[in-house]
Amino acid sequence: MNNLIFQLMWWVVPVIILLVAYKFVLRVFFGMVIVPDDRIGLVVKKYVLSGNKRLPDGRIIATNGEAGMQARALAPGLYWGMWPWQYSVIMQPFVIIEQNKLGLVKAKDGASFDTGRVLGKPVDCDKFQDATAFLDNGGQKGPQAAFLTPGNYRINAFLFEIEMVPITQIQENKVGIITTLDGEPLDKGEIAGVSVAGHKNYQDPISFINAGGRKGLQEDVILAGTYYLNPWFVIVEQVDMIYIPIGYVGVVNSFVGPEGKDTSGDSFKHGNIVKKSQKGVWDEPLDPGKHPVNIYTHAVEVVPTTNIVLNWANSRTEAHELDKNLCTITVRSSDGFTFNLDVSQIIHIPRNEAPKVIARFGNMKNLVSQVLEPTIANYFRNSAQKSDVIEFLANRIQRQDDAKGHISKVLGDYNVVGVDTLIGDIVPPEALMKTLTDRKLAEQERITYEIQRNAQVERKEFESAKAGADMQPEVVKSTRQVEINTQVAASKVAVAKGEAESKTINAEADAKVKTINAKADAEVKNVNATADANATDVNGKAEAGKIKAIGLAEAEVTKQKTQAMGSEQYAIVRVAETLAVNHVKLVPDILVSGKSGEGNGMIDALIGTELLKKLQNEAMKEKDQPKKKEDNSDKRSE
């Protein structure tokens, strides 16, 4: 049993030893090297068995079997004859370039750079995976223009050093301004390299150089996107696009490009206006929108083409701030007063005239400070000195119109349209203002008193008219009463005449005497009546003069009655009315006739008297009866 175990161990132990040491045995005795799938083998040759091969001066990588670091690396696989006493093999992982990364390559060996170059020119070397080809094809030592894009590479670390950097991403609404670090020098007087073709937005440095690209700032820019740009070749600066708002244009002043022919004409002496892409101020401005402009080679001045308001006022500034440094204008009048006034100027710059304005002044602020500010301030100072303060205030509209015409003419010479000139607040001296205010108040008070007086006169006329209208019913009533009294008087006269004629027939002699007496009495009464009428007329005229407005209607009625009845007939009526009012009887109640006691005069008189009294009593009774009936009716109603 023990012998069996011993025999087994005799055979098993060597097998185990062989199994454990087979790699060592194969490596030592057969020179076997196994390179894993994710590695490459970097070979260092320790010495040369035959011959005397040495590396050329300045070289560190062997390409022809010389001792030292070998250019040829071992790809994944199995190799024999790599004796450990002659070769040292270092396993190195693949170079992995991640997404959004760029692999920059620096060669540790190779030819020298050409004069003036900072990057090694690309050679055919399987993207730096064939070090031998790189060196044999003239690859240059140092930073390489070519680079590695994302992926896995078998790179010989003895020859190449890899540096990973982010790829270049230009953001939206941005432009990339390029400065190249390699290429031909710029020509004298130029500040940027001219545009060349074929370099794929600077992603192919050698194509750029071969096409004659210049070193330094470039005219061309790159737009939003992702680019494989070698930072050893270009420097990228991202800036905002030029934004031209609506209502504005962008005047471009180019510092690069060919010398152009002036298009402004002989009358314009303030700079050259050239075609687009030429050096100078372009005659075609940029319209509203976003423009990819290289701010280092082109200056863009934004010019408003809508109406611009500029305020010469201490407390007011527009959003554009072009009037930020403008202030209220102080002027002196011809009478020695100093006062302030605010002015607003509205201007407009036509689109096609904007390049000339910028060529002349450089920017809008210079236009305001060099032209508008002195022109407007001096105009109003000169204008104020030609008049006193009162006249200046009184003729403000005319001053404003004159200023508009003068300033518009001046601005027209500078390719600017003067839309309007407005005079704002005028602040005269306080003492003068108090005088003007007092004068105005006195004037207004005088107007107020005049209005009140006119109101009183109108009120008086109104009251007179109203009184006349109120008296109109009375006037009509009086007129009707006059007519009634006239008829009554005429009736009584007729009755009296009848009785007189009757009695005259019965007693002709007495009638004659009575007629004579009656005529005498009538003459007396007629004289008295005439006198009364005259007095009444005089009093009526005086009363009419006193209340002329009230008596106009009555006077007109009287005039019409006089014209209708005749003056004598109207006088008789007036006499009758007067006698009736004064209870003077035209015909006596008792008429006694006869002479020297003849006839029955006295007896008739007594009888007539008694009869008259009886008639009067009956008349009084008849008058009282209606009154009693009214009283009885009132009692019944109660």
Side-chain angles (χ1 to χ4, degrees), residues 551-610:
L552 288 175
E554 184 177 356
E556 184 65 24
V557 172
T558 302
K559 181 179 179 181
Q560 292 178 0
K561 286 182 179 181
T562 302
Q563 292 176 355
M565 297 172 63
S567 59
E568 294 180 359
Q569 186 66 26
Y570 184 70
I572 294 172
V573 172
R574 294 292 294 175
V575 169
E577 289 177 354
T578 303
L579 294 176
V581 171
N582 295 307
H583 303 290
V584 177
K585 296 182 179 180
L586 183 63
V587 180
D589 292 335
I590 305 299
L591 180 62
V592 179
S593 63
K595 184 178 180 183
S596 302
E598 294 181 358
N600 299 321
M602 296 300 293
I603 296 172
D604 293 338
L606 292 173
I607 294 172
T609 302
E610 292 298 327

Side-chain angles (χ1 to χ4, degrees), residues 220-275:
D220 291 341
V221 296
I222 57 176
L223 304 180
T226 300
Y227 299 89
Y228 293 120
L229 297 178
N230 188 339
W232 292 340
F233 172 63
V234 295
I235 298 175
V236 182
E237 179 184 356
Q238 297 192 43
V239 298
D240 293 330
M241 286 188 176
I242 297 297
Y243 172 63
I244 309 298
I246 295 176
Y248 293 79
V249 295
V251 177
V252 180
N253 183 15
S254 177
F255 309 134
V256 295
E259 296 293 337
K261 183 179 179 181
D262 182 25
T263 62
S264 61
D266 296 336
S267 61
F268 190 78
K269 306 294 184 181
H270 306 280
N272 292 339
I273 308 296
V274 298
K275 295 293 184 180

Side-chain angles (χ1 to χ4, degrees), residues 542-555:
E543 185 67 16
K546 181 179 181 180
I547 53 173
K548 184 178 180 180
I550 298 174
L552 288 175
E554 184 177 356

Side-chain angles (χ1 to χ4, degrees), residues 343-382:
V343 176
S344 294
Q345 176 65 45
I346 304 175
I347 64 172
H348 167 65
I349 300 176
R351 176 185 182 276
N352 295 334
E353 298 295 331
K356 292 184 179 180
V357 173
I358 298 304
R360 185 193 298 264
F361 299 105
N363 54 53
M364 290 297 296
K365 291 183 178 180
N366 291 340
L367 169 64
V368 175
S369 63
Q370 297 176 15
V371 175
L372 288 167
E373 183 176 4
T375 297
I376 292 178
N378 289 335
Y379 173 81
F380 282 103
R381 291 191 182 100
N382 295 336

Side-chain angles (χ1 to χ4, degrees), residues 357-409:
V357 173
I358 298 304
R360 185 193 298 264
F361 299 105
N363 54 53
M364 290 297 296
K365 291 183 178 180
N366 291 340
L367 169 64
V368 175
S369 63
Q370 297 176 15
V371 175
L372 288 167
E373 183 176 4
T375 297
I376 292 178
N378 289 335
Y379 173 81
F380 282 103
R381 291 191 182 100
N382 295 336
S383 177
Q385 289 180 350
K386 297 178 182 178
S387 65
D388 54 36
V389 179
I390 304 298
E391 182 185 356
F392 193 92
L393 292 173
N395 297 328
R396 171 177 173 171
I397 296 177
Q398 184 61 41
R399 301 280 180 192
Q400 187 169 274
D401 293 340
D402 293 343
K404 175 183 177 182
H406 174 78
I407 295 172
S408 296
K409 182 179 179 181

